[in-house]
Amino acid sequence: MRVAATDARVPVAPVELVLRSTRVVTPEGVRPASVTVADGRIEAVLPYETDLPYGTGPTPGPAYGTGAVVEDLGDDVLLPGLVDTHVHINDPGRAEWEGFATATRAAAAGGITTLVDMPLNSLPPTTTLEHLRTKQGVARDKAHVDLGFWGGALPGNLADLRPLHDAGVFGFKAFLSPSGVEEFPSLGPGDLEAVAARIAALDGLLIVHAEDPGHLLRAPQPEGPRYSGFLASRPRAAENEAIARLISVARRLGTRVHILHLSSSDALPMIAAAKADGVRVTVETCPHFLTLTAEEVPDGATEFKCCPPIREAANRDALWAALADGTIDCVVSDHSPCTTDLKVPDFGRAWGGISSLQLGLPAVWTEARRRGHTLHDIARWMSGGPAALAGLDDKGAIEAGRHADFAVLAPDETFTVDPAALHHRNHVTAYAGKTLHGVVRAAWLRGRRITGHGGPTEPTGLLLERQRST
């Protein structure tokens, strides 16, 4: 049955774009639909068979205008643009590791339309208002996707938290163990209490790298090429102890706490119990923890090194179960790149970080489809969940009123990862040579195509600030 366009809501601005697909991922499920875009926002999600009087149909209507572009995607899947709230861009100061132009190009090529940048590995770190302004100045005019910023919580910068909060950072990152860079020290127990209390007073968000330093000191120290030695140096107990401490702080102080890059499945029962008790705690995991296993890491292959580490296959299975039942809230990349020379074949000396920004969607989809999950699940984990974490109410779903941010995926097509074809600055990745399902065809940001037909376009991303409550 063909549905008349007059059944749809009359737009407040002329429709500029119509995307049609037999598989559109909406909050209600996957269905055929025609998605109309006006003034950078989704104007309506209509039945696929709707007559479209937008210049290509038989009866153009003045309310819609006659210049709209209508693109039929066939059976390719239209997803909400992904939101990645855990990315280390390292610019300025370590731009040879990664920069705003290269990171955001890689994001666009991977179907990601919004990033939130971590406060460390850049010089200066985003720990004062002045440093935030420096970073924003460097990023402006280089972003191919929309871009926001986390602030940093360090020993001694309590007075900086409110100015950063008022300037629109999305929350504050802290480490409970050494961060790996001297300009971003970790919080001791007293510092954690003070920071959590201050953030609670702001009704802000504390996001934490949760590994206990005592357990790390007592563990065998990593050296040499064997991955088993590195895995033993980052025991599950270090994560478990740190997460228990964070849950206790959130419970007592009412602070909203988010646990970064969960690796240890042992921590899942306490997280689930805390959520059931109403503690304000959320948790993320990452593509590498869901798709890679300790058993497959070759000796000397430090492209697989990250902290906390990739664990065993049984641990991976438990993380997938926690995603399915909602204990884990979202999946984000923790893209932490470095120059090639820092990935020496010694797990004690190599930089710890996995570059996966462009590959997260196909990597997760490859494993998800094998386990019986759907593209609706992918949208919830990699778009809606991260958008909710950061309070990005305009992002994260294909529904009327949201930003017209889209990714187009051919979910049944495969490709073999060629590091040289990636857009991030240094072509080192743990996924090299892997065959993945899901080819990203194109992406749109606020109704404008930002990739497809040969690669990213000119930068059109905006710098984002946290949405204030009214």
Side-chain angles (χ1 to χ4, degrees):
M1 180 179 70
R2 298 184 67 81
V3 181
T6 52
D7 291 346
R9 178 170 59 84
V10 175
V12 297
V15 165
E16 305 148 357
L17 173 70
V18 184
L19 296 178
R20 309 179 85 168
S21 169
T22 62
R23 294 185 285 181
V24 176
V25 182
T26 73
E28 294 76 34
V30 182
R31 60 185 174 92
S34 295
V35 181
T36 62
V37 174
D39 196 25
R41 292 183 180 267
I42 297 170
E43 186 269 329
V45 181
L46 304 173
Y48 182 82
E49 301 85 358
T50 301
D51 241 346
L52 298 174
Y54 303 126
T56 59
T59 55
Y64 295 95
T66 59
V69 173
V70 180
E71 186 157 348
D72 196 319
L73 305 172
D75 293 331
D76 285 347
V77 175
L78 187 66
L79 287 157
L82 303 192
V83 177
D84 193 338
T85 53
H86 195 150
V87 180
H88 296 270
I89 296 179
N90 309 333
D91 196 2
R94 293 189 176 99
E96 71 275 14
W97 293 17
E98 189 68 279
F100 288 109
T102 52
T104 57
R105 276 203 303 267
I112 301 165
T113 53
T114 305
L115 298 179
V116 187
D117 175 55
M118 283 292 169
L120 74 157
N121 298 348
S122 60
L123 293 169
T126 318
T127 52
T128 70
L129 180 58
E130 179 184 2
H131 293 174
L132 172 65
R133 297 307 184 210
T134 296
K135 182 171 279 195
Q136 289 172 326
V138 173
R140 204 176 308 276
D141 302 325
K142 293 182 181 178
H144 292 266
V145 301
D146 283 356
L147 178 65
F149 301 92
W150 298 108
L154 309 178
N157 85 326
L158 273 179
D160 295 299
L161 301 186
R162 178 173 285 280
L164 284 165
H165 180 79
D166 291 345
V169 298
F170 286 85
F172 299 94
K173 180 173 186 178
F175 280 76
L176 301 188
S177 56
S179 71
V181 291
E182 62 181 14
E183 68 273 4
F184 205 98
S186 59
L187 299 179
D191 299 317
L192 174 62
E193 293 280 331
V195 163
R198 181 65 58 89
I199 292 173
L202 297 171
D203 195 25
L205 173 61
L206 175 62
I207 66 173
V208 186
H209 181 122
E211 288 183 288
D212 176 70
H215 279 83
L216 296 181
L217 284 172
R218 292 189 294 272
Q221 297 307 295
E223 60 178 353
R226 293 184 64 83
Y227 186 73
S228 58
F230 173 66
L231 187 60
S233 76
R234 315 295 294 209
R236 297 188 194 201
E239 276 192 88
N240 303 338
E241 174 65 26
I243 290 168
R245 186 180 313 144
L246 290 169
I247 290 172
S248 175
V249 167
R251 191 185 298 275
R252 286 186 290 104
L253 300 180
T255 314
R256 185 180 167 212
V257 172
H258 179 70
I259 297 163
L260 297 168
H261 44 48
L262 179 70
S263 167
S264 172
S265 62
D266 293 350
L268 291 168
M270 74 173 100
I271 293 168
K275 288 186 168 193
D277 290 344
V279 179
R280 301 174 76 192
V281 60
T282 52
V283 60
E284 70 187 37
T285 194
C286 304
H288 40 278
F289 298 138
L290 296 170
T291 63
L292 306 174
T293 64
E295 292 90 340
E296 70 184 277
V297 179
D299 287 347
T302 55
E303 62 268 28
F304 290 84
K305 179 182 177 180
C306 59
C307 301
I310 296 165
R311 302 193 188 276
E312 302 83 359
N315 184 86
R316 178 180 66 171
D317 292 342
L319 294 178
W320 275 104
L323 262 180
D325 69 21
T327 302
I328 296 176
D329 298 273
C330 55
V331 178
V332 291
S333 71
D334 189 13
H335 178 69
S336 186
C338 65
T339 53
T340 304
D341 61 294
L342 294 180
K343 284 292 191 181
V344 296
D346 180 327
F347 280 98
R349 296 190 297 117
W351 175 259
I354 289 182
S355 297
S356 64
L357 190 58
Q358 188 172 334
L359 300 171
L361 173 55
V364 175
W365 171 237
T366 298
E367 187 66 18
R369 74 198 297 273
R370 186 178 75 84
R371 293 171 178 266
H373 296 293
T374 67
L375 286 162
H376 187 258
D377 296 325
I378 295 290
R380 177 164 53 90
W381 298 331
M382 302 185 76
S383 186
L389 171 71
L392 290 164
D393 296 339
D394 290 330
K395 311 285 189 182
I398 296 179
E399 62 182 3
R402 305 254 191 165
H403 286 164
D405 299 345
F406 308 110
V408 177
L409 184 73
D412 302 318
E413 292 194 18
T414 62
F415 69 101
T416 300
V417 177
D418 175 7
L422 301 176
H423 289 282
H424 61 254
R425 177 151 292 165
N426 293 284
H427 297 159
V428 178
T429 177
Y431 295 95
K434 290 188 176 294
T435 297
L436 301 178
H437 279 84
V439 173
V440 178
R441 299 275 198 219
W444 278 264
L445 177 66
R446 301 171 187 264
R448 296 184 62 179
R449 184 192 286 270
I450 57 171
T451 190
H453 299 319
T457 62
E458 291 302 306
T460 58
L462 300 180
L463 302 189
L464 303 176
E465 296 180 357
R466 189 191 73 260
Q467 295 175 352
R468 276 68 160 187
S469 58
T470 56

